[in-house]
């Protein structure tokens, strides 16, 4: 069975919703982010599917394909990777290598995980979809890029009132920028 990993950029106070400018996906004008990008590319090499909700998909589709001078490699990766967008309303994704999953998100993602021979499936952004899949117990790994910022507001990754009794730490490392990577799996 394939691994479903939720990868999120998150503030120290737990917000995954970017309401201020604490996260810049292209790291323009930021401190040296080369080690963070190296880790991001390492994770990308272990995945062959990107899973997103409609709003995140439309945000990505409206931004990344137009980044012709992207030196981070993110545009190339997003254009190449098989993208799965969970949506009841989207009919034509209008982005190469994109498939719309119109059925029940839990059933669709469970089937996707059950396909043989694939690499990791990575969900990013897509807070509502993440909440659904967390509640359904389908998430195998959580990958948090924790930014040294307190936003003081914003949506959280875990649904209100939902608890996981214990997570197992898989990896913890710090980057030059002060960002840390925390990887966990349900115990």
């Amino acid at each position: 069975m394939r691994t479903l990993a939720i990868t999120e950029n998150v503030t120290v106070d737990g917000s995954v919703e970017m309401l201020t400018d604490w996260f810049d996906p292209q790291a323009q004008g930021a401190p040296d982010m080369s080690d963070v990008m190296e880790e991001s590319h390492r994770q990308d090499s272990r995945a062959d599917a990107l899973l997103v909700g409609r709003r995140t998909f439309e945000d990505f589709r409206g931004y990344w394909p137009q980044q012709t001078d992207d030196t981070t490699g993110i545009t190339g990766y997003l254009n190449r990777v098989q993208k799965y967008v969970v949506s009841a309303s989207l009919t034509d994704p209008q982005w190469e290598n994109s498939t719309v999953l119109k059925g029940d998100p839990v059933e669709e993602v469970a089937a996707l995980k059950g396909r043989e021979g694939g690499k990791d499936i990575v969900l990013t952004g897509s807070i509502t979809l993440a909440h659904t899949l967390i509640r359904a117990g389908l998430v195998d790994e959580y990958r948090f890029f924790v930014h040294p910022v307190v936003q003081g507001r914003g949506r959280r990754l875990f649904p209100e009132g939902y608890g996981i009794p214990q997570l197992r730490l898989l990896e913890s490392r710090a980057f030059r920028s002060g960002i840390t990577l925390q990887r966990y799996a349900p115990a």
Side-chain angles (χ1 to χ4, degrees), residues 7 50 56 58 62 79 83 100 109 131 149-150 164 175:
T7 300
L50 176 68
T56 299
E58 289 175 344
N79 284 333
K83 293 165 286 295
V100 178
V109 174
H131 286 179
V149 173
V150 174
I164 299 175
F175 299 101

Side-chain angles (χ1 to χ4, degrees), residues 60-77:
F60 280 19
R61 183 186 65 195
Y63 178 80
W64 286 109
Q66 286 72 42
Q67 303 309 304
T68 56
D69 59 348
D70 174 29
T71 59
T72 66
I74 296 171
T75 297
Y77 172 75

Side-chain angles (χ1 to χ4, degrees), residues 19-64:
L19 299 174
T20 61
D21 62 355
W22 60 267
F23 172 65
D24 177 3
Q26 291 188 300
Q28 299 170 351
D32 181 4
M33 297 282 286
S34 60
D35 53 351
V36 175
M37 290 309 302
E38 183 179 306
E39 173 60 24
S40 180
H41 293 312
R42 186 187 69 76
Q43 290 182 21
D44 291 347
S45 73
R46 295 180 178 177
D48 64 0
L50 176 68
L51 177 65
V52 290
R54 181 191 51 80
R55 284 179 285 189
T56 299
F57 178 81
E58 289 175 344
D59 288 346
F60 280 19
R61 183 186 65 195
Y63 178 80
W64 286 109

Side-chain angles (χ1 to χ4, degrees), residues 63-185:
Y63 178 80
W64 286 109
Q66 286 72 42
Q67 303 309 304
T68 56
D69 59 348
D70 174 29
T71 59
T72 66
I74 296 171
T75 297
Y77 172 75
L78 290 175
N79 284 333
R80 278 189 317 273
V81 73
Q82 180 60 50
K83 293 165 286 295
Y84 294 93
V85 55
V86 174
S87 174
S89 60
L90 188 67
T91 54
D92 181 3
Q94 300 175 357
W95 193 5
E96 62 191 320
N97 302 317
S98 297
T99 301
V100 178
L101 303 177
K102 289 191 166 288
D104 175 81
V106 172
E107 291 175 11
E108 293 275 12
V109 174
L112 188 60
K113 283 183 64 172
R115 292 185 189 162
E116 292 296 320
K119 296 180 179 182
D120 291 354
I121 303 164
V122 175
L123 182 147
T124 193
S126 310
I127 300 168
T128 302
L129 177 59
H131 286 179
T132 298
L133 300 179
I134 290 168
R135 280 190 190 102
L138 289 176
V139 180
D140 303 297
E141 186 177 332
Y142 299 95
R143 301 171 183 165
F144 304 124
F145 285 93
V146 183
H147 293 249
V149 173
V150 174
Q151 184 170 256
R153 58 196 168 107
R155 293 175 69 193
R156 307 295 193 243
L157 176 63
F158 294 97
E160 182 70 32
Y162 183 85
I164 299 175
Q166 184 171 356
L167 294 171
R168 180 171 43 94
L169 181 64
L170 302 174
E171 180 181 9
S172 178
R173 67 186 272 216
F175 299 101
R176 288 185 290 275
S177 61
I179 294 170
T180 62
L181 169 64
Q182 309 298 322
R183 290 180 49 231
Y184 294 96

